[in-house]
PDB file of all heavy atoms in Angstrom:
ATOM      1  N   GLN A1013     -20.085 -38.580  39.771  1.00  0.00           N
ATOM      2  CA  GLN A1013     -21.157 -39.591  39.746  1.00  0.00           C
ATOM      3  C   GLN A1013     -21.797 -39.582  38.370  1.00  0.00           C
ATOM      4  O   GLN A1013     -22.132 -38.529  37.830  1.00  0.00           O
ATOM      5  CB  GLN A1013     -22.211 -39.255  40.802  1.00  0.00           C
ATOM      6  CG  GLN A1013     -23.356 -40.238  40.841  1.00  0.00           C
ATOM      7  CD  GLN A1013     -24.354 -39.888  41.939  1.00  0.00           C
ATOM      8  OE1 GLN A1013     -24.054 -39.160  42.866  1.00  0.00           O
ATOM      9  NE2 GLN A1013     -25.548 -40.416  41.804  1.00  0.00           N
ATOM     10  N   GLU A1014     -21.970 -40.788  37.788  1.00  0.00           N
ATOM     11  CA  GLU A1014     -22.615 -40.891  36.490  1.00  0.00           C
ATOM     12  C   GLU A1014     -24.118 -40.704  36.629  1.00  0.00           C
ATOM     13  O   GLU A1014     -24.696 -40.949  37.688  1.00  0.00           O
ATOM     14  CB  GLU A1014     -22.331 -42.258  35.868  1.00  0.00           C
ATOM     15  CG  GLU A1014     -20.900 -42.442  35.441  1.00  0.00           C
ATOM     16  CD  GLU A1014     -20.706 -43.735  34.690  1.00  0.00           C
ATOM     17  OE1 GLU A1014     -21.686 -44.257  34.117  1.00  0.00           O
ATOM     18  OE2 GLU A1014     -19.559 -44.216  34.668  1.00  0.00           O
ATOM     19  N   GLU A1015     -24.732 -40.286  35.537  1.00  0.00           N
ATOM     20  CA  GLU A1015     -26.187 -40.150  35.504  1.00  0.00           C
ATOM     21  C   GLU A1015     -26.836 -41.521  35.721  1.00  0.00           C
ATOM     22  O   GLU A1015     -26.384 -42.528  35.197  1.00  0.00           O
ATOM     23  CB  GLU A1015     -26.600 -39.583  34.149  1.00  0.00           C
ATOM     24  CG  GLU A1015     -28.078 -39.420  33.956  1.00  0.00           C
ATOM     25  CD  GLU A1015     -28.399 -38.803  32.613  1.00  0.00           C
ATOM     26  OE1 GLU A1015     -28.458 -37.556  32.545  1.00  0.00           O
ATOM     27  OE2 GLU A1015     -28.571 -39.549  31.637  1.00  0.00           O
ATOM     28  N   VAL A1016     -27.889 -41.542  36.511  1.00  0.00           N
ATOM     29  CA  VAL A1016     -28.655 -42.765  36.752  1.00  0.00           C
ATOM     30  C   VAL A1016     -30.069 -42.518  36.251  1.00  0.00           C
ATOM     31  O   VAL A1016     -30.668 -41.477  36.533  1.00  0.00           O
ATOM     32  CB  VAL A1016     -28.678 -43.126  38.255  1.00  0.00           C
ATOM     33  CG1 VAL A1016     -29.534 -44.356  38.498  1.00  0.00           C
ATOM     34  CG2 VAL A1016     -27.267 -43.333  38.771  1.00  0.00           C
ATOM     35  N   GLY A1017     -30.606 -43.472  35.488  1.00  0.00           N
ATOM     36  CA  GLY A1017     -31.962 -43.311  34.960  1.00  0.00           C
ATOM     37  C   GLY A1017     -32.491 -44.625  34.448  1.00  0.00           C
ATOM     38  O   GLY A1017     -31.908 -45.692  34.682  1.00  0.00           O
ATOM     39  N   HIS A1018     -33.579 -44.537  33.737  1.00  0.00           N
ATOM     40  CA  HIS A1018     -34.216 -45.740  33.188  1.00  0.00           C
ATOM     41  C   HIS A1018     -35.017 -45.364  31.947  1.00  0.00           C
ATOM     42  O   HIS A1018     -35.345 -44.197  31.742  1.00  0.00           O
ATOM     43  CB  HIS A1018     -35.111 -46.411  34.234  1.00  0.00           C
ATOM     44  CG  HIS A1018     -36.258 -45.561  34.661  1.00  0.00           C
ATOM     45  ND1 HIS A1018     -36.139 -44.552  35.597  1.00  0.00           N
ATOM     46  CD2 HIS A1018     -37.561 -45.551  34.262  1.00  0.00           C
ATOM     47  CE1 HIS A1018     -37.312 -43.967  35.766  1.00  0.00           C
ATOM     48  NE2 HIS A1018     -38.193 -44.546  34.964  1.00  0.00           N
ATOM     49  N   TRP A1019     -35.333 -46.376  31.137  1.00  0.00           N
ATOM     50  CA  TRP A1019     -36.122 -46.180  29.928  1.00  0.00           C
ATOM     51  C   TRP A1019     -37.597 -46.397  30.245  1.00  0.00           C
ATOM     52  O   TRP A1019     -37.951 -47.287  31.018  1.00  0.00           O
ATOM     53  CB  TRP A1019     -35.697 -47.157  28.836  1.00  0.00           C
ATOM     54  CG  TRP A1019     -34.347 -46.844  28.285  1.00  0.00           C
ATOM     55  CD1 TRP A1019     -33.167 -47.429  28.624  1.00  0.00           C
ATOM     56  CD2 TRP A1019     -34.038 -45.851  27.318  1.00  0.00           C
ATOM     57  NE1 TRP A1019     -32.146 -46.863  27.916  1.00  0.00           N
ATOM     58  CE2 TRP A1019     -32.644 -45.896  27.106  1.00  0.00           C
ATOM     59  CE3 TRP A1019     -34.794 -44.923  26.608  1.00  0.00           C
ATOM     60  CZ2 TRP A1019     -32.001 -45.050  26.204  1.00  0.00           C
ATOM     61  CZ3 TRP A1019     -34.152 -44.091  25.711  1.00  0.00           C
ATOM     62  CH2 TRP A1019     -32.774 -44.152  25.519  1.00  0.00           C
ATOM     63  N   GLU A1020     -38.453 -45.584  29.657  1.00  0.00           N
ATOM     64  CA  GLU A1020     -39.902 -45.760  29.780  1.00  0.00           C
ATOM     65  C   GLU A1020     -40.537 -45.756  28.394  1.00  0.00           C
ATOM     66  O   GLU A1020     -40.003 -45.162  27.460  1.00  0.00           O
ATOM     67  CB  GLU A1020     -40.523 -44.645  30.636  1.00  0.00           C
ATOM     68  CG  GLU A1020     -40.144 -44.747  32.091  1.00  0.00           C
ATOM     69  CD  GLU A1020     -40.973 -43.827  32.980  1.00  0.00           C
ATOM     70  OE1 GLU A1020     -41.885 -43.138  32.465  1.00  0.00           O
ATOM     71  OE2 GLU A1020     -40.689 -43.792  34.175  1.00  0.00           O
ATOM     72  N   ASP A1021     -41.667 -46.425  28.287  1.00  0.00           N
ATOM     73  CA  ASP A1021     -42.401 -46.469  27.026  1.00  0.00           C
ATOM     74  C   ASP A1021     -43.076 -45.123  26.772  1.00  0.00           C
ATOM     75  O   ASP A1021     -43.716 -44.565  27.664  1.00  0.00           O
ATOM     76  CB  ASP A1021     -43.472 -47.563  27.057  1.00  0.00           C
ATOM     77  CG  ASP A1021     -42.863 -48.953  27.114  1.00  0.00           C
ATOM     78  OD1 ASP A1021     -41.816 -49.157  26.477  1.00  0.00           O
ATOM     79  OD2 ASP A1021     -43.423 -49.818  27.796  1.00  0.00           O
ATOM     80  N   ASN A1022     -42.919 -44.615  25.555  1.00  0.00           N
ATOM     81  CA  ASN A1022     -43.541 -43.348  25.187  1.00  0.00           C
ATOM     82  C   ASN A1022     -45.014 -43.577  24.817  1.00  0.00           C
ATOM     83  O   ASN A1022     -45.360 -44.587  24.221  1.00  0.00           O
ATOM     84  CB  ASN A1022     -42.804 -42.731  24.003  1.00  0.00           C
ATOM     85  CG  ASN A1022     -43.182 -41.293  23.780  1.00  0.00           C
ATOM     86  OD1 ASN A1022     -43.549 -40.590  24.711  1.00  0.00           O
ATOM     87  ND2 ASN A1022     -43.082 -40.833  22.552  1.00  0.00           N
ATOM     88  N   TYR A1023     -45.876 -42.650  25.208  1.00  0.00           N
ATOM     89  CA  TYR A1023     -47.291 -42.748  24.876  1.00  0.00           C
ATOM     90  C   TYR A1023     -47.876 -41.359  24.684  1.00  0.00           C
ATOM     91  O   TYR A1023     -47.268 -40.357  25.064  1.00  0.00           O
ATOM     92  CB  TYR A1023     -48.073 -43.488  25.975  1.00  0.00           C
ATOM     93  CG  TYR A1023     -48.051 -42.796  27.314  1.00  0.00           C
ATOM     94  CD1 TYR A1023     -48.987 -41.810  27.630  1.00  0.00           C
ATOM     95  CD2 TYR A1023     -47.090 -43.099  28.265  1.00  0.00           C
ATOM     96  CE1 TYR A1023     -48.963 -41.162  28.846  1.00  0.00           C
ATOM     97  CE2 TYR A1023     -47.063 -42.462  29.474  1.00  0.00           C
ATOM     98  CZ  TYR A1023     -48.004 -41.498  29.772  1.00  0.00           C
ATOM     99  OH  TYR A1023     -47.962 -40.845  30.980  1.00  0.00           O
ATOM    100  N   ILE A1024     -49.020 -41.322  24.051  1.00  0.00           N
ATOM    101  CA  ILE A1024     -49.786 -40.083  23.935  1.00  0.00           C
ATOM    102  C   ILE A1024     -51.189 -40.366  24.465  1.00  0.00           C
ATOM    103  O   ILE A1024     -51.665 -41.501  24.437  1.00  0.00           O
ATOM    104  CB  ILE A1024     -49.850 -39.563  22.482  1.00  0.00           C
ATOM    105  CG1 ILE A1024     -50.415 -40.633  21.542  1.00  0.00           C
ATOM    106  CG2 ILE A1024     -48.485 -39.105  22.014  1.00  0.00           C
ATOM    107  CD1 ILE A1024     -50.633 -40.156  20.117  1.00  0.00           C
ATOM    108  N   TRP A1025     -51.830 -39.350  24.980  1.00  0.00           N
ATOM    109  CA  TRP A1025     -53.209 -39.501  25.453  1.00  0.00           C
ATOM    110  C   TRP A1025     -54.147 -39.341  24.265  1.00  0.00           C
ATOM    111  O   TRP A1025     -54.010 -38.408  23.471  1.00  0.00           O
ATOM    112  CB  TRP A1025     -53.546 -38.442  26.507  1.00  0.00           C
ATOM    113  CG  TRP A1025     -52.934 -38.740  27.834  1.00  0.00           C
ATOM    114  CD1 TRP A1025     -51.817 -38.163  28.365  1.00  0.00           C
ATOM    115  CD2 TRP A1025     -53.397 -39.688  28.786  1.00  0.00           C
ATOM    116  NE1 TRP A1025     -51.554 -38.711  29.590  1.00  0.00           N
ATOM    117  CE2 TRP A1025     -52.517 -39.645  29.882  1.00  0.00           C
ATOM    118  CE3 TRP A1025     -54.454 -40.582  28.831  1.00  0.00           C
ATOM    119  CZ2 TRP A1025     -52.669 -40.449  31.003  1.00  0.00           C
ATOM    120  CZ3 TRP A1025     -54.606 -41.378  29.949  1.00  0.00           C
ATOM    121  CH2 TRP A1025     -53.723 -41.303  31.018  1.00  0.00           C
ATOM    122  N   GLU A1026     -55.092 -40.259  24.159  1.00  0.00           N
ATOM    123  CA  GLU A1026     -56.100 -40.191  23.102  1.00  0.00           C
ATOM    124  C   GLU A1026     -57.464 -40.472  23.715  1.00  0.00           C
ATOM    125  O   GLU A1026     -57.562 -40.987  24.824  1.00  0.00           O
ATOM    126  CB  GLU A1026     -55.823 -41.230  22.014  1.00  0.00           C
ATOM    127  CG  GLU A1026     -54.607 -40.935  21.187  1.00  0.00           C
ATOM    128  CD  GLU A1026     -54.466 -41.887  20.018  1.00  0.00           C
ATOM    129  OE1 GLU A1026     -54.977 -43.020  20.068  1.00  0.00           O
ATOM    130  OE2 GLU A1026     -53.833 -41.480  19.048  1.00  0.00           O
TER     131      GLU A1026
END
Side-chain angles (χ1 to χ4, degrees):
Q1013 180 178 341
E1014 290 187 24
E1015 178 178 271
V1016 177
H1018 64 279
W1019 290 98
E1020 290 192 3
D1021 293 323
N1022 193 28
Y1023 62 87
I1024 56 175
W1025 284 102
E1026 290 187 335

